[in-house]
Amino acid sequence: MARKPTLLIGDSEMEVLNHVWELKEATVAQVQQAILKDRKIAYTTVMTIMQNLSKKGYLDFRRDGVTYIYTAAKDPSKVKKDFLGHLMNKVFKGSPTALMQTLVETEGISDDEIDELRSIIDKLD
């Protein structure tokens, strides 16, 4: 039985989740191959991470013979919004302004990115 989804996940779990989102559906071997482009990782490590993500409610799976095929259990945009909301509340006391100010000051946002952000804000008005 799946546990209640846990909001916080680790870096490796997020890496795996991003690969599953990109692939739409994926086997452990497919995710391992994607990660191997950047770093070494064991098949069993990826398998354990994917099983944990399933238990946490982030991935669903189905069996095809002996192979497990994983898909996103939640919409990626919803997961991202939940994480950002958690970060904003926990670190920035719920202030989107403080979050954005820190982002702009520490990440060296380019003029093009600033223009894009202004455009997004203008569309909200």
Side-chain angles (χ1 to χ4, degrees):
M1 178 160 80
R3 297 184 316 193
K4 183 178 177 183
T6 303
L7 179 61
L8 296 179
I9 63 175
D11 291 345
S12 293
E13 289 175 316
M14 194 71 232
E15 179 182 25
V16 166
L17 192 55
N18 275 308
H19 284 296
V20 173
W21 287 340
E22 184 179 306
L23 295 166
K24 306 293 186 223
E25 64 176 28
T27 64
V28 173
Q30 289 171 319
V31 173
Q32 181 200 24
Q33 286 303 309
I35 295 172
L36 284 172
K37 292 175 185 173
D38 297 319
R39 64 184 180 93
K40 290 184 178 185
I41 190 165
Y43 178 91
T44 53
T45 301
V46 177
M47 180 177 64
T48 300
I49 292 169
M50 292 176 81
Q51 289 170 343
N52 290 340
L53 286 168
S54 178
K55 289 176 187 174
K56 290 180 178 184
Y58 289 101
L59 293 179
D60 287 328
F61 65 87
R62 70 180 192 281
R63 285 184 63 162
D64 184 5
V66 296
T67 304
Y68 286 79
I69 301 171
Y70 290 84
T71 57
K74 294 181 174 187
D75 181 78
S77 63
K78 168 91 169 92
V79 173
K80 292 172 186 178
K81 286 178 185 177
D82 289 348
F83 274 98
L84 186 58
H86 177 76
L87 176 69
M88 186 173 60
N89 288 328
K90 186 171 183 164
V91 178
F92 298 97
K93 298 180 182 176
S95 171
T97 303
L99 182 143
M100 289 302 297
Q101 182 176 356
T102 301
L103 179 66
V104 169
E105 290 173 352
T106 60
E107 293 301 319
I109 294 178
S110 71
D111 290 340
D112 288 342
E113 290 169 319
I114 290 171
D115 289 342
E116 188 175 345
L117 289 171
R118 283 190 179 118
S119 176
I120 291 168
I121 292 168
D122 289 344
K123 289 178 185 175
L124 295 175
D125 291 339

